[in-house]
Amino acid sequence: MNRIGILTGGGDAPGLNAVIRAVVKSACNAGIECIGLEDSFDGLLEPGRSRVLTPREVRGIMRLGGTILGTVNRGNPFGRSIQTSEGAREYSDRVVEMFGEMALDALVVIGGDGTLAIAHQFCGRGIPIVGVPKTIDNDIVGTTNCFGFDTAVAFATDAIDRLHTTAEAHRRIMVVEVMGRYAGWIALYAGVAGGADAILIPEIPFDLDRVAARLIERDLWGAHFSIVVVAEGAFPKGGSLALLERAHDGHVERLGGIGAKVCEGLSTLTGKETRSVVLGHLQRGGAPTSFDRVLATRFGAKAVELVQRGEFGTMVAFDPPDIVARRLEDIVGRIKTVPLDNDLLLAAKALGMSFGD
Ligand code: F6P
C-alpha cells in the first residue's frame, strides 16, 4: 500500500476537513502517500484535478467547515457520457482508467448514502474502497452517528433558543423548518434540546388539528407562545411531501416548504400570530462541534487502518463505544429513520410534546 486517493462527495457537512486531516496524518505516519481528489469522483477524470496532501496541507483545517477538496451533489454518474482530454468516455470507465494511471492503490470515500452507493458500484468495477459516512441528516444505516449531525443539532438548538425569546415577547407561534431529508433525527434532537412544544417528523404523518389543539391548550394555562419544529420531510396524514424541486436528470428531489404550510395552517386553526423560519444550509456551515471533530478523527484513522488491512468494500461506523467496519453492500440503498419506539421520541411524548399523532 503506497498511494491512496481521498475524496468528499455529496452535500458538505461540518467535520469533512477533520476526516481529511486524520486520513492524511495517519496515512503519512504509516508511509502511505495521500492524493486529494477534487470535486468527488470528478477528481479522477483528469490528472490536473488532484494534488498531493501532506500534513502541511492539512494543518489547521480541523475546525473548518466545508471541504478543502470540494464536492459535488448531482446524483449517480454511472452511464453518463463525458468529454475528457482524451476524447469522449463513459464516466465510470474514465474513473477506473485514471485510478490505474494515477497508480492509486485504494480510495477513501467520504460521503452520504448517495456517494457510498456510487462507491459500492466502483468496488464492483475493481476499485478498492473504504467509505466514511457523512451527513447532517444522520440517516445512514449501520452507524449510530455520522459526523456533522451533532453540529447541525447544536446550531438548530441555538436557533430555537433565540426564537423562544422573540416568540415569548410577541406571544407568537414560531415554526422552525430544519433539514434531515426523509428522517426526523435533526428535528427530534434539536426539538427536544430546544424545548419545542411540537415536533413534526417524516416518520409520523401529522394531523395539524391535533397540533393546534395542543398549542391552544398551552394558551389556556398561560403559556402564550409556542415553538414548533418541522422536519423538511414531514407531511400531513393523507398528504404529500413539500418539494422545492422534483428529481430530474440524476438529481434527487429537493425538499422544503412544509414549515410555511404548517405556519399558515396553525395561524388559521389557532387564530394566533404565527411566523416561520427555514434554517436551511446554515445547519451545514461553521465549525464542527468537539463531538464531530473527535468522531471525524476516529473515522479517518480507522479508515486508514482498514486500508492497511486490505478490508475494502467497507465503511467505518460508530457502534458505541467502538469504531467498527461495516460492509457497504449491507448499507447502500437503505436509510435509517427514527424508529417509533426510539427512547428520545418516547421521552418527548412523555413530556407532552406533540408529534401531531
Ligand atoms: O443531506 C444533507 C442535506 O442538507 C439535506 O438535509 C437536504 O435536504 C439536502 O442536503 C440539501 O441539498 P442541497 O445542498 O443540494 O440543497
Side-chain angles (χ1 to χ4, degrees), residues 30-45:
I32 301 170
E33 186 181 33
C34 260
I35 306 297
L37 304 166
E38 293 165 8
D39 306 327
S40 191
F41 288 97
D42 286 7
L44 280 162
L45 298 180

Side-chain angles (χ1 to χ4, degrees), residues 231-253:
E232 62 180 1
F235 56 92
K237 268 183 196 154
S240 53
L241 283 173
L243 294 184
L244 293 175
E245 198 178 333
R246 294 191 176 283
H248 63 95
D249 309 322
H251 291 256
V252 296
E253 62 189 9

Side-chain angles (χ1 to χ4, degrees), residues 6-13 16 37 39-42 44 67 70-78 91 95 107-124 129-135 139-140 147 181 250 252 314-315 328 331-335:
I6 175 170
L7 64 87
T8 54
D12 69 326
L16 279 170
L37 304 166
D39 306 327
S40 191
F41 288 97
D42 286 7
L44 280 162
T67 160
T71 185
V72 293
N73 200 4
R74 64 166 119 78
N76 194 318
F78 272 76
Y91 189 101
V95 165
L107 289 184
V108 172
V109 173
I110 313 167
D113 53 350
T115 305
L116 292 173
I118 297 167
H120 181 55
Q121 273 184 277
F122 277 119
C123 287
I129 290 180
V130 171
V132 179
K134 162 252 42 158
T135 170
D139 61 353
I140 297 181
F147 66 86
R181 292 195 69 78
V252 296
T314 54
M315 173 191 91
L328 276 177
I331 63 121
V332 298
R334 300 166 60 201
I335 62 164

Side-chain angles (χ1 to χ4, degrees), residues 6 30 107 118 137 164 171 183 201 206 225 239 249 251 256 307 346 356:
I6 175 170
L107 289 184
I118 297 167
D137 305 336
H164 249 109
R171 299 187 163 205
I201 58 175
F206 60 84
F225 69 97
D249 309 322
H251 291 256
V307 163
L346 297 180

Side-chain angles (χ1 to χ4, degrees), residues 11 73 135-137 179-181 186 232 254-255 281 284:
N73 200 4
T135 170
I136 63 164
D137 305 336
M179 284 184 162
R181 292 195 69 78
I186 298 178
E232 62 180 1
R254 286 177 58 215
L255 306 184
H281 293 82
R284 295 207 323 227

Side-chain angles (χ1 to χ4, degrees), residues 164 167-168 171-172 197 218-219 223-227 272:
H164 249 109
E168 187 164 15
R171 299 187 163 205
R172 284 173 174 162
D197 306 295
R218 277 175 55 76
D219 244 7
H224 298 297
F225 69 97
S226 293
I227 301 283
K272 286 183 74 71

